[in-house]
Amino acid sequence: MRKSCNLKRGSAVALCLIFATVLLMMGLAYSKQTATSKRQTVQIDERIKLEYLAHGVTELALLKFQLYPADFYACMEASKLNDSSYLTSFTTGAPEFQFTGTRAENRSISSFNSTSVNLQLASMTILTNNKWNNEVLYIEAFANYTDQYHKSIDKVVTRLVDLDRHSLIPQSNR
Amino acid sequence: MLKKLFFKTKKAVTLVEILLAVVLMAGAFLPIMGLMSSSIKVTEQDENTQRAVMLCQEKLNAVLQMPFDKFAVSTTPIVSGTYNNNEIVASFGAQIIDGVTYTSSLLVEQYNVSFNVPTCDFTRKGDSRYKNDPSQWGFNVIQCDASDKVKRYTVTVNWQDKGRGNQKFYTLSSLKADIREK
C-alpha cells in the first residue's frame, strides 16, 4: 500500500510534461500551417499579376494580327508547306513578344514581392480550316517567375478570337 | 486529525509538484499564445492584402474594358475621380473598408513597341511556279512601329495595416491595344 502511494508521487509533473509536449507539437503544426497559408496567399496574389502581364502579351499579338493579317496568313500558308520559320518569326520568335526581367514587370510590383518576371508568347495560330468567313484565332501567352522560396510560379493565358476573314480578290480569281 | 490527514499522508500532490506543473504549463502555453496572437495579426494583414488585390483587379478590369481612347497618356497618375462607360465604372482615390483606408490610382503610359513583320512578295506567292515553295515568296522582315496603338495601364492600391503597420502597396499592370471590334 505504501509502495503504491510512493509511485503516485511526481505523477502530476509527468502528466504535465506529456501535456506540454503535445501542446508544443500542436503549436509547431499551427505555426507551419500559418507559414504555408501566408506563402499560398502571396502566390495567389502574384499569379494575378502574371495573368495581367500575360494578357498584355495576347493584346499585342492580337494587334499585330489586326495590323498585318495578310502577312500572318502568308506565314501560316508557308508553315503548312513545312516551312514554319516565317510563322515563328511572326509569332513566338518575335522579340516584341519576349520579355525578361525589368522591361515587362517594372510596373507590376508590390510591397511583398518584386522579383523579375519572364513573359513570352507561347502560341498563335488559326484553329479552323475554313479559310474564308468564320475563323478562330488562338493566342497563348506564358508568364513565369521564381518566388522568394525559389519555387517557379507559372501562368498561362489563352485567348480565342472569332474572326471574319474576307478576301479582296474576287471569288473566281482565288 | 487534520494534520494527520493533510500533511502526513503521501497520497496527495505536493505544493512543489503543483508549482512545477504550473511553471511547465506556462512555459508551454506562453509561446502558443504568442503564436496565436501573431497568427491573428498575419491573417488580418493577409485579409487587407487580399482586399487590396481585389480592388486593384476590379479597377484594372474596368479600365481595360473601356475604349482605347477613354484615358489619355500622361506622366502623372490619375489619383481621383470616377470614370464610366455604359455600365463599367472605375473610381480612383481613397476608400475606407473595415477601418482600413485604400488609396487607388491609375497611370496611363504610351507603350513603345515595334513589330517585326515577315512580309512576302504577294505577286511571287501567287505565281503558280512558286506556289508550293515558300522560300521563293521573297519573305523579308520589316519593322513597323505601333507605339501609338498600345497603352500601358498601371493600377496601384496603397494601404496601411491597423496599428503600427507599414505602408503597403500592390500594383497590377497590363497593356491595352487599339483593337477594332468586328
Side-chain angles (χ1 to χ4, degrees):
Chain A
M1 184 65 186
R2 196 173 177 89
K3 197 178 175 184
S4 125
C5 286
N6 280 342
L7 279 174
K8 285 181 182 173
R9 288 184 75 184
S11 61
V13 176
L15 275 170
C16 179
L17 275 171
I18 294 165
F19 193 57
T21 312
V22 170
L23 271 177
L24 275 171
M25 281 166 73
M26 280 169 69
L28 283 172
Y30 186 65
S31 161
K32 201 176 172 185
Q33 192 191 6
T34 308
T36 311
S37 162
K38 172 86 182 164
R39 189 173 152 181
Q40 282 174 346
T41 307
V42 172
Q43 276 181 17
I44 291 166
D45 300 343
E46 297 303 309
R47 263 180 212 275
I48 294 169
K49 201 180 280 181
L50 293 184
E51 189 176 334
Y52 281 94
L53 290 170
H55 173 83
V57 177
T58 64
E59 192 84 353
L60 277 183
L62 186 56
L63 177 71
K64 188 174 181 180
F65 171 80
Q66 184 185 274
L67 294 174
Y68 311 101
D71 301 298
F72 175 74
Y73 284 121
C75 293
M76 280 290 291
E77 276 185 54
S79 173
K80 280 177 186 165
L81 293 166
N82 295 323
D83 192 347
S84 58
S85 60
Y86 305 114
L87 185 64
T88 304
S89 62
F90 191 103
T91 58
T92 53
E96 62 268 22
F97 298 136
Q98 291 170 15
F99 314 91
T100 47
T102 54
R103 186 183 168 197
E105 53 73 52
N106 58 1
R107 300 291 184 278
S108 271
I109 52 170
S110 50
S111 48
F112 44 87
N113 204 344
S114 58
T115 49
S116 62
V117 175
N118 298 317
L119 275 170
Q120 67 178 85
L121 184 71
S123 173
M124 184 176 174
T125 188
I126 297 287
L127 288 184
T128 44
N129 287 318
N130 297 350
K131 187 148 184 181
W132 303 111
N133 303 322
N134 293 323
E135 283 188 331
V136 174
L137 176 68
Y138 175 84
I139 304 169
E140 183 183 298
F142 173 78
N144 154 278
Y145 85 98
T146 306
D147 73 1
Q148 53 195 328
Y149 308 100
H150 307 292
K151 192 180 175 189
S152 179
I153 310 292
D154 305 328
K155 183 75 195 173
V156 175
V157 169
T158 55
R159 195 161 173 175
L160 290 169
V161 186
D162 186 19
L163 308 170
D164 267 347
R165 185 179 176 187
H166 299 289
S167 176
L168 299 173
I169 307 164
Q171 184 87 40
S172 55
N173 297 353
R174 279 180 213 164
Chain B
M1 180 67 183
L2 277 172
K3 199 176 175 184
K4 197 177 178 181
L5 253 173
F6 290 104
F7 297 101
K8 292 268 173 100
T9 179
K10 288 176 182 174
K11 282 180 186 175
V13 180
T14 66
L15 180 64
V16 177
E17 266 190 292
I18 291 168
L19 284 173
L20 195 61
V22 167
V23 169
L24 279 169
M25 289 300 287
F29 261 113
L30 281 174
I32 290 169
M33 293 301 283
L35 205 72
M36 286 181 87
S37 157
S38 66
S39 172
I40 289 167
K41 210 173 170 183
V42 167
T43 309
E44 209 170 74
Q45 287 174 0
D46 275 358
E47 200 182 336
N48 293 342
T49 307
Q50 289 294 327
R51 203 173 284 137
V53 172
M54 274 171 62
L55 275 174
C56 203
Q57 206 178 350
E58 189 184 296
K59 288 169 199 303
L60 186 59
N61 271 342
V63 294
L64 284 172
Q65 284 179 63
M66 289 184 191
F68 183 76
D69 299 325
K70 183 80 180 174
F71 297 97
V73 170
S74 171
T75 50
T76 52
I78 297 166
V79 292
S80 63
T82 302
Y83 298 82
N84 53 43
N85 185 65
N86 299 328
E87 287 176 359
I88 307 159
V89 181
S91 59
F92 302 98
Q95 62 187 109
I96 300 165
I97 305 169
D98 282 349
V100 179
T101 308
Y102 296 91
T103 314
S104 54
S105 62
L106 168 71
L107 181 67
V108 183
E109 299 166 290
Q110 180 177 301
Y111 185 77
N112 296 320
V113 63
S114 183
F115 289 132
N116 292 272
V117 186
T119 188
C120 70
D121 180 343
F122 286 93
T123 319
R124 283 177 76 85
K125 182 179 169 285
D127 192 322
S128 56
R129 286 176 296 168
Y130 311 125
K131 199 177 173 186
N132 294 319
D133 187 3
S135 64
Q136 298 298 316
W137 294 357
F139 269 108
N140 182 29
V141 177
I142 55 162
Q143 282 217 328
C144 309
D145 186 61
S147 301
D148 59 331
K149 295 189 183 301
V150 187
K151 284 175 187 168
R152 173 160 50 203
Y153 292 153
T154 305
V155 174
T156 303
V157 174
N158 291 282
W159 78 100
Q160 190 172 12
D161 292 322
K162 282 176 194 167
R164 287 182 296 170
N166 296 327
Q167 187 74 34
K168 291 181 175 175
F169 68 93
Y170 184 80
T171 303
L172 280 177
S173 176
S174 196
L175 301 176
K176 171 86 178 168
D178 188 8
I179 291 165
R180 291 188 310 267
E181 296 297 322
K182 268 208 276 187

